[in-house]
């Protein structure tokens, strides 16, 4: 199933999962220090935020 085929409930579930992931990633990033760890954390946070934004946009279009 592609993202375009998701129901509103499925979108809400995926959004909640990504929001939890983002909280965890931010907490992890705060605990780490060092260039490589910070770069990886920042990249992962940005990736998750992009996915979250896309899902919210899709949800808004449905509802």
């Amino acid at each position: 199933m592609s993202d375009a085929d998701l129901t509103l409930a499925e979108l809400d579930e995926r959004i909640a999962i990504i929001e939890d992931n983002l909280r965890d990633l931010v907490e992890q990033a705060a605990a780490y220090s060092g260039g490589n760890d910070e770069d990886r954390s920042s990249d992962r946070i940005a990736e998750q935020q992009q996915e979250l934004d896309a899902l919210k946009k899709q949800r808004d279009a449905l509802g």
Side-chain angles (χ1 to χ4, degrees):
M1 178 182 294
S2 73
D3 285 347
D5 298 329
L6 295 174
T7 66
L8 186 56
E10 291 167 330
L11 286 168
D12 285 339
E13 182 178 342
R14 288 185 65 184
I15 287 169
I17 290 168
I18 292 173
E19 288 173 337
D20 286 342
N21 289 347
L22 280 168
R23 277 189 288 279
D24 290 344
L25 288 167
V26 169
E27 288 176 12
Q28 289 172 12
Y32 295 138
S33 64
N36 287 340
D37 288 336
E38 290 174 12
D39 288 343
R40 279 190 296 242
S41 293
S42 293
D43 291 345
R44 185 71 176 134
I45 289 168
E47 177 185 296
Q48 288 287 289
Q49 187 62 54
Q50 285 177 329
E51 186 172 352
L52 178 62
D53 293 343
L55 288 170
K56 285 183 174 182
K57 184 178 178 180
Q58 186 177 353
R59 180 185 63 187
D60 291 345
L62 284 177

